[in-house]
Amino acid sequence: DAGVTQSPTHLIKTRGQQVTLRCSPKSGHDTVSWYQQALGQGPQFIFQYYEEEERQRGNFPDRFSGHQFPNYSSELNVNALLLGDSALYLCASSLDLADYYNEQFFGPGTRLTVL
Amino acid sequence: DAKTTQPPSMDCAEGRAANLPCNHSTISGNEYVYWYRQIHSQGPQYIIHGLKNNETNEMASLIITEDRKSSTLILPHATLRDTAVYYCIVRVVTGAGSYQLTFGKGTKLSVIP
């Protein structure tokens, strides 16, 4: 059973460019969350997608947007890149269950470097 | 969600028990304590969680104080592969599928040969 997969592994962009990161959730999961992890910090929640809609959003500007497809995979888009957007971007998948045991499973992340 | 306080770093000898503390003095009645760890260059990995009773699984034990204001994650026999950043998180389990995890800086555990 494949876990959460993300692509690409690494990415280098320049300021002002746009980037798209991709995530395939764990088999059977229908909910995808995205987190940004700056160097030396814990992950910070960006947003969560369920049923192809953004359901929750953290404190991130509108330059950060996303999409979820009918097969539950997801994309994270960042426009007008800033140097401060350099980070590890993590995708986590889960089941939309009203359940104590509903865990988020994380992918390995995409390392984005903005020059 | 309630905030947590963890020591920034700890060392543990290989084969010994690693005891990682977490303070969550403002925890409310419907908040659970979760532990994740992040090995270098990987995504966070779920370890264990609990409400008020002690919990044990194949990876670790979680001891929560009676007043629920602090907890300890115990790795009974630490190995070099347990070297990682350990995050203590408290979150509300509302009965809805939607939730976000709020990570702090965690504790960097170094297991020493």
Side-chain angles (χ1 to χ4, degrees), chain A residues 22-25 29 32 49 67-75:
Chain A
R22 296 175 176 80
C23 172
S24 291
H29 284 184
V32 174
Y49 276 82
H67 187 76
Q68 186 179 34
F69 299 93
N71 67 353
Y72 307 122
S73 66
S74 177
E75 290 181 349

Side-chain angles (χ1 to χ4, degrees), chain A residues 33 35 37 40-45 48 55-57 88 90 95-104 106-108, chain B residues 32 34 36 38 41-46 49-51 55 87 91 93 95-105:
Chain A
S33 303
Y35 292 80
Q37 186 174 24
Q41 305 294 316
Q44 301 299 306
F45 176 75
Q48 183 181 82
R55 177 161 67 176
Q56 276 193 358
R57 189 178 184 92
L88 180 68
L90 295 160
L95 267 175
D96 182 57
L97 283 180
D99 194 294
Y100 168 69
Y101 296 102
N102 180 12
E103 299 314 317
Q104 290 189 5
F106 284 81
Chain B
Y32 287 70
Y34 282 72
Y36 279 75
Q38 187 172 22
S41 299
Q42 297 183 21
Q45 175 192 23
Y46 164 80
H49 71 287
L51 179 63
E55 302 286 346
Y87 296 99
R91 75 167 180 92
V93 179
S98 166
Y99 70 90
Q100 57 179 276
L101 294 172
T102 302
F103 290 83
K105 292 188 176 183

